[in-house]
Amino acid sequence: MPTQSVWITGASSGIGEALALRYAKNGARVVLSARRESELERVAERCRNAGLAADHVLVLPLDVTDWDALPGKVQVVLDTFGVIDLLVNNAGVSQRSLCKDTDMSVYQKLMDVDVMGQIALTKAVLPHMLERGSGHLAVTASVAGKVGAPMRTGYCAAKHAVMGFFDALRAEVEGEGVNVSTITPGFIHTDISRNALAGDGSNYGKLDDDIAGGMDVNECAEVIFKGLQAKKREIPVGKGKEMAALWVKRLSPELLFRLAKA
C-alpha cells in the first residue's frame, strides 16, 4: 500500500499534535500546519523521534484566514509529496462568554477561523482530489456542532455551520471518489479552554473542569485515526456525559434543552 500523505492543520498542539504523532507512528508522510512555526518544529521533532523519516515531515506554517495564501500552500504540499491523500481541517478557536457580554468582533473571529478558514482550505485542496478521483477530507467539528451550550454561543454556531457544510459537501463529492468525515469530539483534555476567547476578545486563560476531566488526547487521537482509516462519515469521540447528549438530541430534543439550561 502506498505511503499515505496526510495534512493536519492546528497541528501545533492538542488533538492536531496527537493525531500527527499517531500518523507518524504509522509511517505516513505528514504535513504540519498552524500559525506558530516554533511549535510546529517541536511537533516535527516528536514525529521524527517516533520513527518518521526526516523527509516524510513537512512544516508548513499557515493562517487559515489568509485565503489568498492557501492555493500556494497547497502547491507546496503537492511539490513536496506529490499528492494529498487526507486533509484534516483541525485549526480552530473556542469561546467562553455569555452572549450579552460578547463583542461582535469575537463572533466574527470565530466564524473566520472555525468556518470560513476550513471551507477556504478545503476548496483549495478539493480540485486536486477530484482530478485524481481519490482523497479524504475531514474536519474537527464538536459535540457543540449538534448541541447548544451556554457560554459558547459563537463556538456552537461555528461548529453547527461546519457540520452542515461538510455533510452537504459529502453528498456532492462522495460519488467522485472523495470521502468526507466529520469528527465530533466531546471533552478532551487539551488547552482549548485556556486558548478560548473571552467576550472582549482577550484570552480566557482557564482550564475548565469538564476539559480537565476529559478524555486523554492520545486516546482521542487513536479513536480518530481508526475512524479515518475506516473512512467513517462521522466520528464521535469522548467518554463523558456530553456524548450521551448526541443521542438525547435525537430522541428527545426538549429534554436536552432542559438539561442544557440546567
Side-chain angles (χ1 to χ4, degrees), residues 72-124:
K73 300 291 185 178
V74 172
Q75 193 59 52
V76 170
V77 178
L78 294 177
D79 289 344
T80 304
F81 291 146
V83 298
I84 300 168
D85 295 304
L86 168 63
L87 168 65
V88 183
N89 290 286
N90 178 67
V93 62
S94 191
Q95 169 221 0
R96 297 294 185 273
S97 57
L98 296 172
C99 176
K100 66 183 180 67
D101 300 325
T102 305
D103 293 343
M104 284 302 298
S105 62
V106 171
Y107 287 128
Q108 184 69 63
K109 183 169 183 178
L110 287 160
M111 290 297 173
D112 287 346
V113 175
D114 293 358
V115 183
M116 300 305 292
Q118 319 309 309
I119 293 173
L121 184 55
T122 295
K123 277 181 60 64

Side-chain angles (χ1 to χ4, degrees), residues 80-230:
T80 304
F81 291 146
V83 298
I84 300 168
D85 295 304
L86 168 63
L87 168 65
V88 183
N89 290 286
N90 178 67
V93 62
S94 191
Q95 169 221 0
R96 297 294 185 273
S97 57
L98 296 172
C99 176
K100 66 183 180 67
D101 300 325
T102 305
D103 293 343
M104 284 302 298
S105 62
V106 171
Y107 287 128
Q108 184 69 63
K109 183 169 183 178
L110 287 160
M111 290 297 173
D112 287 346
V113 175
D114 293 358
V115 183
M116 300 305 292
Q118 319 309 309
I119 293 173
L121 184 55
T122 295
K123 277 181 60 64
V125 170
L126 183 59
H128 162 69
M129 292 185 174
L130 290 174
E131 183 178 354
R132 290 178 62 216
S134 175
H136 193 168
L137 299 163
V139 66
T140 303
S142 172
V143 169
K146 299 200 170 201
V147 176
M151 300 288 287
R152 296 165 174 82
T153 48
Y155 185 65
C156 288
K159 293 303 185 179
H160 273 70
V162 160
M163 290 292 295
F165 176 85
F166 282 88
D167 281 349
L169 179 62
R170 182 188 302 112
E172 291 183 0
V173 303
E174 201 166 44
E176 305 294 325
V178 179
N179 297 100
V180 177
S181 296
T182 52
I183 304 162
T184 55
F187 298 133
I188 310 299
H189 194 154
T190 68
D191 284 336
I192 187 171
S193 62
R194 284 197 180 102
N195 297 329
L197 301 176
D200 62 357
S202 63
N203 190 277
Y204 182 67
K206 302 175 186 176
L207 181 63
D208 292 343
D209 289 342
D210 48 20
I211 298 296
M215 176 184 276
D216 175 77
V217 71
N218 295 308
E219 184 181 352
C220 167
E222 183 66 25
V223 173
I224 295 171
F225 173 80
K226 289 180 177 177
L228 291 173
Q229 292 295 93

